[in-house]
Amino acid sequence: RMRVVSVENGQIIGSKESIRKNDKKQCGVTLLNTGDIPSVEVMADGCFKLCSWELANYMSPHFDLVEMELYKVKVKEYADKAEEAANAAEKGDLDKAYMMYYAIYQKDAYNPELLYNLGILNEAVGNYSDAKEMYSGALSLKSSEDDYQKAVRRIEKALAYTEALKAMGVSVTR
């Protein structure tokens, strides 16, 4: 358990708890012979090593490289315009790509590939709440898609991190 405390007034401005279980197993079965189980110190050290990264990441900013692949829009009526938007995004013109995808979205709001792509563009610029809305929409339309599930989990972590920073008085601006 870790607490971040203000040195000015002693106020707790952040708190994080990490729990890990450590037992010795052989072939998937916990050994009952106490001579085969590591000492408490050895198990505690192993748990500390696992938890220390989680606790350290709570305190300090860290970055994960996430490669996001835009999906091809399969509806023939919008495929060419969507391809043009994807090319704009690949060239780094996210504003143009967003406007093009959004124009299609206004005509076809129930296209999971389009929603996912809008989620990617929102996430790329730090607009996490809109990204979550788009990813969640894509997932509700196509719940079996692994990329959509991962995107929702990733954006929920980003939103939680932003809230934790806000609770500590750290403002994140774009």
Side-chain angles (χ1 to χ4, degrees):
R1 180 177 297 155
M2 177 182 72
R3 290 195 174 102
V4 180
V5 180
S6 170
V7 294
E8 295 170 351
N9 59 17
Q11 177 185 4
I12 296 174
I13 54 176
S15 181
K16 179 71 174 170
E17 184 170 325
S18 182
I19 299 171
R20 295 286 187 266
K21 180 180 174 184
N22 190 354
D23 58 13
K24 186 167 182 175
K25 293 186 176 195
Q26 189 172 32
C27 299
V29 177
T30 303
L31 299 174
L32 298 176
N33 181 350
T34 56
D36 293 335
I37 298 176
S39 69
V40 172
E41 292 82 13
V42 169
M43 286 194 294
D45 187 50
C47 284
F48 179 74
K49 287 177 183 173
L50 289 172
C51 295
S52 62
W53 282 106
E54 186 176 335
L55 296 173
N57 285 338
Y58 174 73
M59 286 272 312
S60 61
H62 61 283
F63 301 93
D64 295 321
L65 177 61
V66 178
E67 292 186 35
M68 296 180 259
E69 193 80 25
L70 294 168
Y71 275 46
K72 286 193 180 285
V73 174
K74 297 174 185 169
V75 178
K76 285 186 181 187
E77 183 179 347
Y78 307 117
D80 291 340
K81 200 69 161 165
E83 185 66 30
E84 191 179 334
N87 290 335
E90 290 291 323
K91 292 176 184 170
D93 193 350
L94 300 184
D95 289 337
K96 180 178 179 181
Y98 183 85
M99 295 306 291
M100 294 175 81
Y101 278 132
Y102 192 77
I104 300 168
Y105 170 74
Q106 289 178 319
K107 297 174 185 172
D108 185 10
Y110 297 101
N111 184 315
E113 293 86 11
L114 183 62
L115 290 168
Y116 179 76
N117 291 349
L118 284 167
I120 286 176
L121 294 174
N122 276 295
E123 183 178 1
V125 298
N127 192 356
Y128 298 143
S129 57
D130 286 352
K132 182 180 179 186
E133 181 182 332
M134 294 298 171
Y135 286 148
S136 296
L139 184 61
S140 69
L141 293 170
K142 200 170 183 181
S143 61
S144 63
E145 183 60 52
D146 191 46
D147 286 342
Y148 299 175
Q149 294 169 12
K150 287 177 185 176
V152 169
R153 285 192 303 268
R154 183 178 63 245
I155 208 69
E156 285 175 345
K157 283 175 68 175
L159 283 166
Y161 184 66
T162 302
E163 286 303 312
L165 288 175
K166 198 181 298 181
M168 289 188 267
V170 176
S171 175
V172 178
T173 58
R174 290 181 238 154

